[in-house]
Amino acid sequence: MIATTQEEIEHLRMSGKILSDVLTALAGLVRAGTTTAALDLAAEKIIRERGGVPAFLNYKPSGAKHPFPAALCVSVNDQVVHSIPSEETILKSGDIVSLDLGVNYQGFFSDSAITVCVGECDEAGKKLINATREALAAGLATIRHGAHVGDVGAAVAAVAARNKLGVVEELGGHALGKAVHEKPFIGNVGTAGQGEELVEGHVLAIEPIFAEGLGDIVLDADGWTYRTCDRSRAAHFEQTILVTKTGIEILTPF
Ligand code: MG
Ligand code: MG
């Protein structure tokens, strides 16, 4: 959406604030022995206590066989995104865990993701996580009124190349606000100056997803979980932002 009124912007800020607070709380719950289902329960509880609605719960985008059955996506190691929380998935020390969450607050949507280690992870895992987070910052730094979608992808892909990591090109950012996914798609590869022009008021989710391997992905039999084809580990960072005349306002700070 392109937010034009102060009231819309205030609602978007509240949506993003709830989401940020939940992700911060969840990061504190990630430890060895915790199930991904426990994280999902905590996420839904806090969102509802704050007056929001979990945006991913029962979400069924076109092409999906069945609606997503949880509030939170918890993707571990070679799981890239959209993994369904489960009582059977027990986190263990050294796992790389991506937490991806959407909030609907009075009809205004935000979307954000972080990747954390369970305890300490190895040097390669730290590099993967740090580079993906750095790519988010690099992508965001290109955005202002008059920037183009391709500017974001070019900046994100440059960070991956420098770190010899793979970009998951099939997935990427998007506009949002009145729904959890709106057009345009904002790829994690691109050519600066190309693609749709971004304008003041645009609400966007920027979300680099990197893998230690090539970045090719495959959909699991559950119809939701994407894994890397080469089983290498992946990381994902995402923030919802508002485009301003001179830059951005981050609506989901972390
Ligand atoms: Mg997301
Ligand atoms: Mg998203």
Side-chain angles (χ1 to χ4, degrees), residues 28-202:
L29 297 174
V30 169
R31 62 177 67 99
T34 297
T35 67
T36 57
L39 298 175
D40 174 58
L41 274 179
E44 179 165 3
K45 179 166 180 284
I46 307 169
I47 292 169
R48 293 196 190 280
E49 280 169 1
R50 296 286 298 272
V53 176
F56 295 168
L57 182 62
N58 297 320
Y59 180 58
K60 189 174 179 298
S62 64
K65 283 199 201 105
H66 50 86
F68 192 76
L72 180 70
C73 303
V74 192
S75 306
V76 182
N77 296 331
D78 69 314
Q79 296 175 342
V80 179
V81 290
H82 304 166
S83 234
I84 300 169
S86 163
E87 291 290 351
E88 269 88 66
T89 307
I90 301 166
L91 299 179
K92 57 185 192 308
S93 186
D95 280 346
I96 291 177
V97 182
S98 298
L99 306 169
D100 187 2
L101 188 64
V103 166
N104 168 2
Y105 176 74
Q106 299 194 6
F108 292 85
F109 290 76
S110 55
D111 187 3
S112 182
I114 55 172
T115 300
V116 296
C117 279
V118 182
E120 278 273 302
C121 65
D122 56 34
E123 287 306 313
K126 285 181 197 163
K127 182 185 142 189
L128 171 69
I129 291 171
N130 290 338
T132 312
R133 186 167 181 151
E134 182 192 335
L136 172 60
L140 292 177
T142 67
I143 302 175
R144 63 186 62 78
H145 178 80
H148 291 81
V149 163
D151 300 344
V152 178
V156 166
V159 176
R162 201 164 63 238
N163 287 278
K164 299 190 168 50
L165 296 167
V167 179
V168 176
E169 295 188 21
E170 264 185 69
L171 306 167
H174 49 92
L176 74 168
K178 291 288 191 186
V180 73
H181 290 112
E182 298 172 356
K183 287 193 168 95
F185 175 74
I186 304 171
N188 288 319
V189 291
T191 305
Q194 294 197 355
E196 186 168 325
E197 190 173 334
L198 303 173
V199 298
E200 185 179 4
H202 248 139

